[in-house]
Amino acid sequence: MTTMQLVGAILFACALIHTFSAKGFEMLAHRHPRHAGLLGEVEVVFGFWAMVLIVAMALIGGPGTAVDYAESRQFTEPLFVFVVMVIAASRPILDAVRALLRALARFAPLRTEVALAWLGLALVPLAGSLITEPAAMTLAALMLAPQVFRPGIPEGLKYGALGVLFVNVSIGGTLTAYAAPPVLMVASTWGWDSAYMFLHLGWRAAVAVLVNATVITLLLRRYLAPVATTDEQKTVPLKVSAIHLAFLAAVVLLAHHPVFFLGLFMLFLGFTQAYQRYQDPLILKEGLLVGFFLAGLVVLGGMQQWWLQPVVSSLGPTALFFGALGLTAITDNAALTYLGSLIAGLSEHAQYMLVAGAVAGGGLTVIANAPNPAGAALLKHGFADESIGALGLLGGALGPTAVAALLFLI
C-alpha cells in the first residue's frame, strides 16, 4: 500500500459516508441555501471528492502525476449515461412510450393505472436489455414519477417501489451481452454472447423482475389513481417521434464510441431547437449531475483496485457470489466485474457467480449500478425532504434483491 493508495481509500470512504448521509446534508442545505449546490445534491458528492483526490495527488506526486492519472481513466460510461438520459427523456420519446404502455394496459384485466405501474416496473426494465439500462431507468422513472412517487403514497411504499425499480433495472439488462455495464465489462474477455446471457442469467432475471414488479404493484394498488393529463401541448407528429427514436437507437449502437455519440448528440440538440414547439425542456441539469457523479466514481474507484482485487480473487464461487453482492453496495458493480475479469484462471462457475452477485446487488445503494444516480435524480423530489435516504433505499431493495439472488443461485 502506497501513500497515494491510502489517501485514495480514505477519500473513497469519505465519499461513501457523504453519500449515505444525504438526508442530513439536505437538511443542512435548507439551513444554508447558499451552499445547497454542494450540500444538497447527492449527485455532486463523488465528483467533489474526486476533485479532492486529484488535488491531493498533485500535492503528493506532482501535477504531472495527477494529470496522467485523470487522463488514464475511461469516461465513456459517464458521457453515455448523460447523452442517453437527455435523449430518452425528450417529450417525443416519452409520449411514444406512454402511448405504447397505455395500449398494452387496455388488454390487462386490471385497472389501467395499476397495469401502467406494473408495466413501468417490469416491462420497461426488461426493455433495458435492448435500449441499455440507463435509457430504461430514465423512461421508467419519468413514467412512474407522477403515479407512484407523489404525495399520498406512503413513504415506505415509495422506497419499496424504488428498490424494485433499481433491482429490476440492474438485472433486467442481463438478457443480452451489451446492455448491462457489469456484463459488458466481462463479455468479450470471457466470450459471453447474448445467447449465453439469456440461457444462463437472462431467463432467471426475467422471472425475478416479474415477481418483484407484481408484489410491489399489489401493495401499491389501493393508492394508485389515474394521472390527470392536459391537452394544452401540441400532438407530436409521428415523424418527429421517429427521428427521436432513431437518435436514441444510434446512440445505443455507438455506446462505446464517444466521438460518434457526442456528435450525434450535437445534432439532436440542433433538431430539438428547430422543432422546439414539440419539445419540453431537456433534462440537461439532471443529466450533467449524473454524469459528474459517475465520472467522480470512475476517478475514485480507480484507486481501490489494490484492495478490491485481492478480496475478489481469494473467494470461492459461493462466497464470491455473496461477496460481490455485498461489495456492490459500496462500489459500482461494473468496476467489480472488471476487476474479476483481470483474474487469471477464474472458473466458469466462479465467473457466473461474480456477475450474478454483482447484478443482484445493483439496487442496494445509489452507487451500486451506473443507472441508479439517474433514477435518484429524477425521483428524489417525490420523497420527504426531496432526497433519498440510504437506509430507506436499502430497506426497499432487500426483498427484490433476495428474490433475484435466490433465482440466480438455483
Side-chain angles (χ1 to χ4, degrees):
M1 180 178 61
T2 65
T3 301
M4 200 61 248
Q5 287 173 335
L6 177 61
V7 171
I10 292 172
L11 293 178
F12 185 71
C14 291
L16 289 177
I17 294 170
H18 192 165
T19 301
F20 297 152
S21 306
K23 281 281 187 182
F25 281 100
E26 187 65 34
M27 295 173 65
L28 284 175
H30 287 308
R31 293 181 188 176
H32 307 284
R34 288 184 303 170
H35 308 294
L38 282 177
L39 295 174
E41 298 286 357
V42 70
E43 295 85 5
V44 174
V45 172
F46 270 82
F48 170 78
W49 287 103
M51 293 172 65
V52 174
L53 173 65
I54 295 299
V55 171
M57 195 172 287
L59 293 174
I60 294 172
T65 302
V67 171
D68 290 344
Y69 175 74
E71 291 183 342
S72 71
R73 299 295 90 200
Q74 175 60 259
F75 295 101
T76 298
E77 185 177 60
L79 289 169
F80 172 74
V81 171
F82 162 65
V83 170
V84 85
M85 271 188 71
V86 175
I87 296 178
S90 61
R91 183 182 153 210
I93 289 181
L94 282 176
D95 283 359
V97 174
R98 286 192 184 109
L100 173 62
L101 293 185
R102 288 194 193 101
L104 294 174
R106 294 191 190 101
F107 294 99
L110 302 167
R111 288 184 291 129
T112 300
E113 56 271 19
V114 176
L116 285 173
W118 185 86
L119 289 169
L121 289 164
L123 183 62
V124 178
L126 287 174
S129 286
L130 296 176
I131 62 174
T132 73
E133 290 185 351
M137 178 69 81
T138 302
L139 290 170
L142 289 172
M143 287 184 291
L144 291 168
Q147 192 175 20
V148 176
F149 301 94
R150 61 171 178 78
I153 303 290
E155 200 77 357
L157 286 179
K158 290 180 189 176
Y159 276 111
L162 186 68
V164 167
L165 176 61
F166 280 13
V167 172
N168 280 4
V169 168
S170 179
I171 64 177
T174 61
L175 278 71
T176 60
Y178 69 87
V183 174
L184 187 62
M185 289 295 180
V186 302
S188 60
T189 303
W190 293 343
W192 290 7
D193 57 14
S194 293
Y196 178 93
M197 286 303 304
F198 183 80
L199 290 174
H200 290 80
L201 276 166
W203 71 268
R204 302 168 190 268
V207 174
V209 165
L210 298 178
V211 170
N212 291 337
T214 301
V215 171
I216 193 63
T217 303
L218 288 174
L219 295 174
L220 284 166
R221 69 188 187 283
R222 59 179 292 196
Y223 301 99
L224 298 175
V227 177
T229 58
T230 60
D231 296 324
E232 297 177 2
Q233 295 176 311
K234 293 183 178 180
T235 302
V236 178
L238 182 61
K239 289 182 180 179
V240 174
S241 295
I243 291 172
H244 275 243
L245 289 169
F247 271 116
L248 179 62
V251 166
V252 169
L253 289 172
L254 297 169
H256 312 303
H257 306 284
V259 172
F260 292 105
F261 71 66
L262 286 174
L264 282 171
F265 184 60
M266 296 300 106
L267 290 174
F268 170 80
L269 293 178
F271 183 82
T272 60
Q273 288 296 309
Y275 296 90
Q276 196 167 6
R277 60 190 179 278
Y278 302 122
Q279 309 290 337
D280 287 337
L282 299 175
I283 59 168
L284 292 171
K285 174 192 171 183
E286 292 84 352
L288 284 170
L289 284 174
V290 170
F292 187 56
F293 180 98
L294 293 173
L297 188 56
V298 167
V299 172
L300 282 170
M303 293 296 295
Q304 314 312 314
Q305 183 173 347
W306 65 273
W307 65 269
L308 266 176
Q309 192 167 354
V311 170
V312 172
S313 61
S314 66
L315 300 174
T318 302
L320 187 57
F321 176 87
F322 290 103
L325 194 151
L327 286 170
T328 289
I330 61 169
T331 185
D332 178 62
N333 56 9
L336 197 60
T337 58
Y338 170 72
L339 292 176
S341 71
L342 301 178
I343 301 172
L346 203 63
S347 69
E348 185 177 352
H349 183 42
Q351 292 171 358
Y352 169 87
M353 287 297 202
L354 172 64
V355 174
V359 298
L364 293 172
T365 61
V366 172
I367 68 170
N369 192 33
N372 291 359
L378 296 173
L379 295 174
K380 65 181 180 181
H381 301 292
F383 290 83
D385 299 322
E386 295 190 353
S387 74
I388 295 170
L391 291 179
L393 173 57
L394 178 64
L398 284 177
T401 299
V403 172
L406 180 62
L407 279 159
F408 287 149
L409 288 172
I410 292 176

